[in-house]
């Protein structure tokens, strides 16, 4: 499939922060994807919480498997639309690199700890990982990724941080949050693929954990319709296979919906190139009906899974671990690895150090520094 005119073309990239010679056989976005896969932060994703803590069960999604699912969905949508698959994959694989241990609980706790010091945003942290924190190259910090990949990684950003970014890098990745324009279509696609992926896999993980039932998920009209369709075709089917088949059909319907709705939007707007697509309103989207369905699915998961007393219980413990780690390193920076302990920006160094931790390393460090075991790495929910 040739690239559409509105796709990001690696031959016309806005470039890297530090100039490098082109690779003989790979495009610039393929190279970015490869750099991300080889990074330390990428390997840590396997031990980071998506919804369920990493040790709660071997079959739950982690940040790594989530990122792979986002990349898969992203590529499936990118190809028929003529978008750049390599760029989509690079953004998808990197989009959660800045996540703290323990999922959103960890991020909220770290943001609170950092309130007086510029706060903590996981999207901005993902950018910090690829721009500054990875140490792999002799001539620069970070992975020196292309503008287009960095643009996609910075999914959200507060105005205050956008102003800061714009001062460091005029016309760079912070700019669109001040101009209120869109990122590339590839970046828009990753945002949507992220939502499609977690809505579907959180149903699967939720049912697997026993915290929600298949019957309960059928309150969601979109899911129920594919469940009913599956039952009509396979009356004897039940349990996990019914769950998987209904989820599979729901995923396919969402993928095809995005492709159709986006094709229609692109035909109406006819963006001449990637920059014209950035200047247009969001073109990569669900149909209005599917957008509402996806919203009700998300609401269901909030009410029944993310706010489930058992999930809330671990959330509470995770926040305490992060808070107490933060206090411990603030008073004793020498307890961190030497390159973090030596940094002049000591508070940010503590945040970077904690954000980079896997769930189990954070739990172990917390026990070592406080003598209290809050998160028991032996406990398991479901199978
Ligand atoms: Mg994600």
């Amino acid at each position: 499939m040739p690239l559409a005119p509105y796709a990001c073309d690696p031959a016309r990239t806005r470039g890297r922060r530090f100039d490098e010679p082109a690779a003989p056989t790979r495009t610039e976005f393929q190279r970015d994807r490869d750099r991300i896969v080889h990074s330390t932060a990428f390997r840590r994703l396997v031990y980071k919480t998506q919804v369920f803590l990493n040790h709660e069960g071997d079959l739950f999604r982690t940040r790594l498997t989530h990122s792979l699912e986002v990349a898969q969905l992203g590529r499936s949508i990118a190809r028929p639309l003529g978008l750049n698959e390599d760029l989509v994959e690079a953004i998808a694989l990197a989009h959660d690199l800045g996540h703290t241990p323990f999922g959103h609980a960890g991020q909220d706790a770290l943001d609170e700890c950092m309130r007086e010091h510029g706060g903590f945003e996981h999207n901005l942290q993902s950018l910090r990982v690829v721009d500054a924190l990875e140490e792999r190259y002799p001539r620069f910090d970070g992975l020196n990724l292309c503008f287009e990949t960095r643009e996609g990684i910075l999914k959200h950003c507060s105005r205050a941080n956008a102003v800061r970014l714009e001062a460091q890098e005029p016309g760079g990745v912070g700019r669109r949050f001040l101009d209120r324009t869109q990122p590339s279509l590839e970046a828009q696609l990753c945002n949507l693929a992220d939502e499609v992926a977690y809505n579907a896999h959180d149903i699967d993980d939720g049912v697997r954990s026993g915290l929600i039932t298949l019957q309960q998920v059928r309150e969601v009209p979109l899911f129920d319709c594919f469940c009913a369709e599956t039952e009509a075709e396979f009356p004897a089917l039940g349990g996990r296979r019914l769950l998987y088949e209904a989820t599979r059909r729901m995923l396919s319907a969402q993928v095809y919906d995005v492709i159709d709705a986006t094709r229609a939007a692109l035909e109406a707007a006819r963006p001449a190139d990637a920059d014209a697509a950035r200047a247009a309103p969001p073109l990569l989207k669900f149909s209005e009906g599917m957008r509402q369905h996806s919203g009700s699915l998300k609401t269901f998961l909030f009410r029944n899974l993310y706010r489930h007393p058992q999930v809330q219980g671990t959330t509470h413990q995770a926040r305490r671990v992060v808070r107490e780690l933060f206090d411990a390193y603030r008073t004793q920076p020498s307890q961190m690895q030497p390159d973090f302990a030596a940094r002049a920006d000591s508070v940010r160094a503590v945040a970077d150090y904690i954000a980079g931790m896997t769930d189990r390393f954070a739990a172990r460090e917390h026990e070592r520094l406080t003598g209290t075991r809050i998160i028991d790495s032996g406990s398991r929910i479901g199978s």
Side-chain angles (χ1 to χ4, degrees), residues 63 66 95-96 194:
R63 290 267 163 219
H66 162 71
H95 86 284
D96 273 351
D194 189 19

Side-chain angles (χ1 to χ4, degrees), residues 50 63 66-67 70 95-96 99 155 194 198:
Q50 184 64 27
R63 290 267 163 219
H66 162 71
S67 302
V70 176
H95 86 284
D96 273 351
H99 262 284
K155 176 173 160 183
D194 189 19
Y198 64 65

Side-chain angles (χ1 to χ4, degrees), residues 170-208:
V173 290
R175 187 56 178 263
R176 74 179 172 90
F177 299 96
L178 303 174
D179 293 349
R180 296 180 177 278
T181 54
Q182 304 306 316
S184 70
L185 292 169
E186 285 82 356
Q188 294 179 40
L189 170 52
C190 287
N191 293 346
L192 209 60
D194 189 19
E195 179 180 330
V196 172
Y198 64 65
N199 279 341
H201 67 48
D202 288 352
I203 289 180
D204 182 21
D205 283 354
V207 173
R208 180 185 304 282

Side-chain angles (χ1 to χ4, degrees), residues 47-58:
Y47 296 114
K48 288 200 183 203
T49 291
Q50 184 64 27
V51 171
F52 294 93
L53 298 192
N54 178 242
H55 60 260
E56 285 179 323
D58 292 345

Side-chain angles (χ1 to χ4, degrees), residues 160-373:
N161 281 323
V163 169
R164 227 167 286 153
L165 282 172
E166 179 63 16
Q168 290 161 12
E169 186 191 350
V173 290
R175 187 56 178 263
R176 74 179 172 90
F177 299 96
L178 303 174
D179 293 349
R180 296 180 177 278
T181 54
Q182 304 306 316
S184 70
L185 292 169
E186 285 82 356
Q188 294 179 40
L189 170 52
C190 287
N191 293 346
L192 209 60
D194 189 19
E195 179 180 330
V196 172
Y198 64 65
N199 279 341
H201 67 48
D202 288 352
I203 289 180
D204 182 21
D205 283 354
V207 173
R208 180 185 304 282
S209 69
L211 299 184
I212 53 175
T213 63
L214 178 64
Q215 219 36 49
Q216 243 180 314
V217 188
R218 296 190 72 161
E219 286 168 25
V220 182
L222 181 68
F223 184 80
D224 185 52
C225 122
F226 293 108
C227 239
E229 192 186 275
T230 307
E231 282 175 328
E233 212 174 313
F234 304 98
L237 207 62
R240 288 218 168 131
R241 285 210 202 199
L242 176 60
L243 172 69
Y244 292 152
E245 182 59 16
T247 308
R248 195 182 67 76
R249 290 178 187 218
M250 185 179 77
L251 273 174
S252 297
Q254 288 178 294
V255 164
Y256 297 134
D257 181 89
V258 174
I259 294 169
D260 292 344
T262 303
R263 265 197 188 128
L266 286 165
E267 251 152 54
R270 297 196 172 275
D273 55 22
D275 279 337
R278 287 183 175 97
L283 296 172
L284 200 308
K285 53 186 178 185
F286 282 132
S287 67
E288 183 50 29
M290 190 59 88
R291 196 183 63 76
Q292 285 180 15
H293 276 307
S294 178
S296 350
L297 189 51
K298 201 186 265 193
T299 308
F300 170 86
L301 286 166
F302 257 99
R303 285 199 190 128
N304 298 284
L305 184 62
Y306 311 146
R307 296 208 187 117
H308 188 286
Q310 206 165 324
V311 173
Q312 296 278 62
T314 37
T315 295
H316 189 75
Q317 295 166 330
R319 292 173 79 108
R320 186 173 154 199
V321 168
V322 168
R323 253 193 335 262
E324 294 183 357
L325 277 177
F326 186 85
D327 292 340
Y329 294 130
R330 280 288 278 148
T331 44
Q332 303 165 268
S334 62
Q335 293 294 333
M336 296 189 289
Q337 279 171 13
D339 38 343
F340 286 89
R343 267 170 53 178
D345 58 342
S346 59
V347 192
R348 186 56 63 182
V350 171
D352 287 339
Y353 190 56
I354 294 175
M357 290 180 178
T358 60
D359 291 7
R360 58 187 192 172
F361 183 69
R364 274 201 304 258
E365 274 292 277
H366 178 269
E367 195 179 339
R368 181 178 74 82
L369 293 164
T370 65
T372 326
R373 178 182 293 189

